[in-house]
Amino acid sequence: MGLMHAEQPASADRLNPLGLTSPAFLAAAAERGVREGRAMELYRAFFRDGRAGADWIAPPAPVIGGEQREDATTKFTLRIDEQLETESVILPYAGRTGRARNTLCLSSQIGCAMGCTFCETAQMGLMRNLSVEQIVGQWHAARFTFGTPINNIVYMGMGEPMDNLDAVLGAIRVLADHNGPGIASSKIAVSTVGRAEGIRQLRRLAEEPGFRRVQLAVSINAPNDEIRSRIMPINRATNMAELREAMLEWPARNTRRILIEYVVIPGVNDALEHADELAAYLQPLLCTVNVIPYNPRRNSPWPAPRDEAVRAFMDRLIGHGLFVTRRRTMGRSLMGACGQLGNEKIRRRRLVPIAIPASETAGDP
Ligand code: SF4
């Protein structure tokens, strides 16, 4: 007898579609005696309407911890337990035809262990990994609590996705499921601080049919090892040459260039010679450089860069023949731009100081 005719099951026995692809959901439903056609109907309805259609399906549980709206961005938190909250940002943009589109910036962890000196989240340290359900739950909240259709997903929120790769890959499979959220893999980008082994594992996913156009973004932020090791501790474990080896193995195409992220920090990595060095480093790669004006974190030793300095840096890269874009800094006051997602309340509970070498503070105002 299927559960549809049984008494209401305990919550632990219910299936949670947020954590399951449609084949996995159908298989689990079959074990409960549910017909395949009925299970598929319920799975599709769950992701179309946002509601559980049977008592053996877990009702969607994302609980909004808080929200802020500004500059058309929406930043929200989901409560994971009494102490912890994820953070996500919805960023609207105009598509090629001028139609309104939305990017959802997801967190893969609460906090982050990577310790990049320019990043707000780094001050929290790593608090925990998120599960597939908790990652896809952020999409569910954006779509149904805030009523926002999501066109793009970027893993650029809290955490280093490659440090929680099983859950990140699992969530990509659910998000791209055409019976579920149905987000094309070309609209999903995973951003890493430069974990070479993680890039190789993501490449294995990108070799599977249906995932060939998943995007890779790599946070470089420096023109050489000396500067990168100072602002990104990961570089002491995997230097820029090793990182480039892993990027060269990525099956980049013109339609799927690697996105190189470069946060321009005054007095640290913004000299025109740095642009020359960066261009030489990137020369063998099929990539687009996304220049991100530094968004000062709390107690930042550096100011935001001047617009002319960012423009000059970009022009120098363009002069070297690179494709260059510039990220808008919407949501600055929400601390919802790149690397700025640390939750105030959580941070107050567990604030770790970030050591800034004296030489790094040369750009102080
Ligand atoms: S920039 Fe990314 S990888 Fe570095 S500390 Fe911040 S969240 Fe972690």
Side-chain angles (χ1 to χ4, degrees):
M1 185 176 75
L3 280 177
M4 285 190 298
H5 306 294
E7 288 185 9
Q8 180 138 319
S11 57
D13 296 332
R14 296 182 189 180
L15 293 185
N16 188 344
L18 292 175
L20 298 168
T21 59
S22 54
F25 182 84
L26 296 194
E31 285 173 14
R32 287 161 167 75
V34 182
R35 279 186 303 110
E36 185 175 311
R38 173 66 179 149
M40 183 60 93
E41 190 184 316
L42 289 164
Y43 186 84
R44 287 180 177 150
F46 180 94
F47 285 101
R48 187 183 59 233
D49 307 328
R51 289 194 301 271
D55 63 7
W56 52 273
I57 298 176
V63 176
I64 304 296
E67 76 173 270
Q68 284 174 277
R69 297 178 194 235
E70 193 178 305
D71 295 344
T73 63
T74 302
K75 174 176 169 181
F76 63 90
T77 66
L78 297 183
R79 195 157 295 143
I80 297 300
D81 59 29
E82 291 207 348
Q83 300 291 317
L84 299 176
E85 290 176 5
T86 66
E87 298 204 4
S88 320
V89 184
I90 303 168
L91 295 135
Y93 69 100
R96 282 206 189 116
T97 57
R99 278 176 46 205
R101 291 271 188 268
N102 294 292
T103 294
L104 174 64
C105 179
L106 293 178
S107 293
S108 54
Q109 299 179 309
I110 299 181
C112 182
M114 293 292 102
C116 304
T117 56
F118 52 84
C119 173
E120 183 75 25
T121 303
Q123 298 198 50
M124 295 167 63
L126 175 62
M127 304 186 91
R128 64 169 284 177
N129 282 332
L130 296 176
S131 65
V132 174
E133 292 94 327
Q134 289 160 346
I135 295 172
V136 179
Q138 297 169 62
W139 170 86
H140 187 283
R143 177 70 191 87
F144 297 108
T145 305
F146 295 101
T148 309
I150 297 300
N151 308 96
N152 289 279
I153 298 278
V154 293
Y155 280 91
M156 294 182 187
M158 277 200 284
E160 163 54 38
M162 302 303 188
D163 281 355
N164 186 20
L165 197 55
D166 286 349
V168 166
L169 297 183
I172 291 174
R173 290 183 188 281
V174 176
L175 291 165
D177 193 314
H178 62 273
N179 294 306
I183 295 176
S185 68
S186 58
K187 304 290 183 192
I188 300 176
V190 179
S191 173
T192 176
V193 74
R195 283 256 189 243
E197 188 43 43
I199 292 173
R200 295 190 172 104
Q201 283 190 47
L202 185 65
R203 191 195 70 205
R204 289 196 269 284
L205 175 78
E207 286 167 353
E208 289 182 26
F211 296 95
R212 295 196 202 282
R213 298 183 67 197
V214 164
Q215 306 279 321
L216 171 68
V218 181
S219 225
I220 296 287
N221 304 323
N224 56 50
D225 283 319
E226 193 259 320
I227 293 177
R228 195 163 192 267
S229 292
R230 273 192 278 138
I231 60 175
M232 300 179 76
I234 178 75
N235 200 66
R236 296 170 207 153
T238 304
N239 66 25
M240 289 178 73
E242 291 171 66
L243 175 55
R244 188 168 57 184
E245 284 306 308
M247 288 194 282
L248 282 167
E249 292 169 26
W250 180 258
R253 292 189 290 269
N254 252 328
T255 50
R256 190 176 64 179
R257 292 167 166 267
I258 298 172
L259 189 68
I260 299 292
E261 295 167 312
Y262 195 98
V263 177
V264 173
I265 309 173
V268 176
N269 63 3
D270 65 338
L272 295 182
E273 303 75 60
H274 294 153
D276 297 340
E277 217 176 337
L278 177 68
Y281 172 76
L282 296 176
Q283 191 272 327
L285 295 168
L286 204 48
C287 65
T288 296
V289 183
N290 190 24
V291 169
I292 305 161
Y294 174 59
N295 183 12
R297 61 171 174 79
R298 283 168 310 126
N299 308 323
S300 172
W302 312 295
R306 285 181 302 110
D307 199 55
E308 312 82 77
V310 175
R311 192 64 245 173
F313 193 87
M314 291 175 67
D315 287 345
R316 190 76 158 220
L317 293 176
I318 292 167
H320 285 289
L322 285 163
F323 285 85
V324 181
T325 59
R326 174 176 178 158
R327 185 182 297 172
R328 290 170 304 162
T329 51
M330 289 171 82
R332 174 170 281 170
S333 63
L334 297 182
M335 302 182 77
C338 173
Q340 305 290 302
L341 285 176
N343 178 293
E344 284 283 5
K345 273 183 292 175
I346 298 169
R347 280 188 235 121
R348 274 201 293 274
R349 279 198 292 272
R350 188 183 166 190
L351 199 60
V352 296
I354 297 180
I356 309 289
S359 56
E360 279 301 306
T361 58
D364 278 5

